[in-house]
Amino acid sequence: GAGVSQSPSNKVTEKGKDVELRCDPISGHTALYWYRQRLGQGLEFLIYFQGNSAPDKSGLPSDRFSAERTGESVSTLTIQRTQQEDSAVYLCASSPGLAGDTQYFGPGTRLTVL
Amino acid sequence: AQTVTQSQPEMSVQEAETVTLSCTYDTSESDYYLFWYKQPPSRQMILVIRQEAYKQQNATENRFSVNFQKAAKSFSLKISDSQLGDAAMYFCAYRRLRNNAGNMLTFGGGTRLMVKP
């Protein structure tokens, strides 16, 4: 079946503008994750959704970052008043929501803040 | 908090040869999962291999195998018969066992693997 998809693939914005990044998980996957990857670095966890449970927001770097998920489908990551240090690739992953399951990643959105 | 360290920023291997990528981690837990992911220039993270900490046997997937040393908290990846398509960034990752909050992956900084023809 289809994998995890993300849109847009690339986003260029001006400092101070708001951006929305979208993630479509694999159908049936109850768990959804957002990660950030700065240039030349590993992935940093941002936020985790599991079914109808309250999301784990412990990785969000500031209150400018927020995310929503509609049921067990689409998720949107919003960054308000973007800063240059927000420039990174934002990766989404989904998994069936079982103990030790494998996370499947999307191709990411490259965000550039000018 | 768990940390994952990859001490080799770059590695190079001749096609058809064998290369080993290193990974160490720090945790106070006894049960967990370890993963190696590959990230080619397309940015897509691809699972290469996974290891459950409670299993003593090292995981293998075709040309890929791991050397899991639990006491030393070491988890290296061996790639045999290297191919040009193996060239990519490789990330080691740790995940807690419990199926509740805290299911995220903790990643190392990555190792760039170059394969010479």
Side-chain angles (χ1 to χ4, degrees):
Chain A
V4 178
S5 61
Q6 293 186 246
S7 60
S9 178
N10 291 280
K11 176 72 176 179
V12 180
T13 190
E14 294 179 348
K15 178 181 173 181
K17 295 286 181 67
D18 298 351
V19 296
E20 284 190 354
L21 312 180
R22 178 188 169 104
C23 172
D24 281 273
I26 293 172
S27 178
H29 280 190
T30 61
L32 187 147
Y33 309 78
W34 284 97
Y35 295 88
R36 177 174 69 179
Q37 185 178 26
R38 289 191 162 127
L39 185 63
Q41 298 184 21
L43 282 69
E44 306 169 85
F45 165 74
L46 295 177
I47 188 169
Y48 159 55
F49 296 90
Q50 171 63 61
N52 295 321
S53 301
D56 178 354
K57 304 179 182 180
S58 60
L60 294 179
S62 77
D63 58 8
R64 296 186 296 104
F65 288 72
S66 63
E68 293 184 350
R69 187 179 186 194
T70 307
E72 294 184 352
S73 61
V74 172
S75 176
T76 302
L77 177 68
T78 301
I79 309 174
Q80 296 178 312
R81 305 180 303 282
T82 52
Q83 304 293 313
Q84 288 184 332
E85 61 262 28
D86 298 334
S87 295
V89 174
Y90 290 83
L91 289 148
C92 174
S94 72
S95 73
L98 305 174
D101 58 11
T102 295
Q103 295 181 22
Y104 297 89
F105 284 81
T109 294
R110 181 179 298 281
L111 175 66
T112 303
V113 182
L114 301 178
Chain B
Q2 294 80 24
T3 59
V4 179
T5 302
Q6 294 179 248
S7 60
Q8 306 153 318
E10 285 191 358
M11 291 285 286
S12 180
V13 63
Q14 203 72 33
E15 195 175 6
E17 297 293 312
T18 295
V19 65
T20 298
L21 308 184
S22 301
C23 172
T24 58
Y25 57 95
D26 186 25
T27 183
S28 59
E29 301 182 342
S30 59
D31 289 319
Y32 45 86
Y33 300 93
L34 296 166
F35 303 84
W36 278 98
Y37 277 88
K38 169 185 177 182
Q39 187 181 42
S42 67
R43 299 198 307 246
Q44 186 86 43
M45 296 286 284
I46 302 165
L47 178 67
V48 174
I49 199 165
R50 58 178 280 159
Q51 175 84 40
E52 289 82 4
Y54 62 86
K55 291 185 177 179
Q56 293 186 342
Q57 187 173 7
N58 289 325
T60 63
E61 286 289 342
N62 301 314
R63 299 183 294 108
F64 299 87
S65 61
V66 297
N67 183 4
F68 173 47
Q69 300 290 328
K70 191 173 183 180
K73 296 180 182 176
S74 171
F75 183 61
S76 61
L77 174 70
K78 185 171 82 171
I79 306 174
S80 304
D81 185 26
S82 296
Q83 301 176 0
L84 295 177
D86 295 334
M89 286 290 293
Y90 285 81
F91 291 96
C92 178
Y94 168 100
R95 183 180 181 186
R96 298 172 70 182
L97 178 66
R98 285 176 283 173
N99 189 36
N100 55 13
N103 249 358
M104 72 290 290
L105 292 163
T106 301
F107 285 87
T111 296
R112 180 176 301 282
L113 178 66
M114 295 172 285
V115 180
K116 298 178 180 178

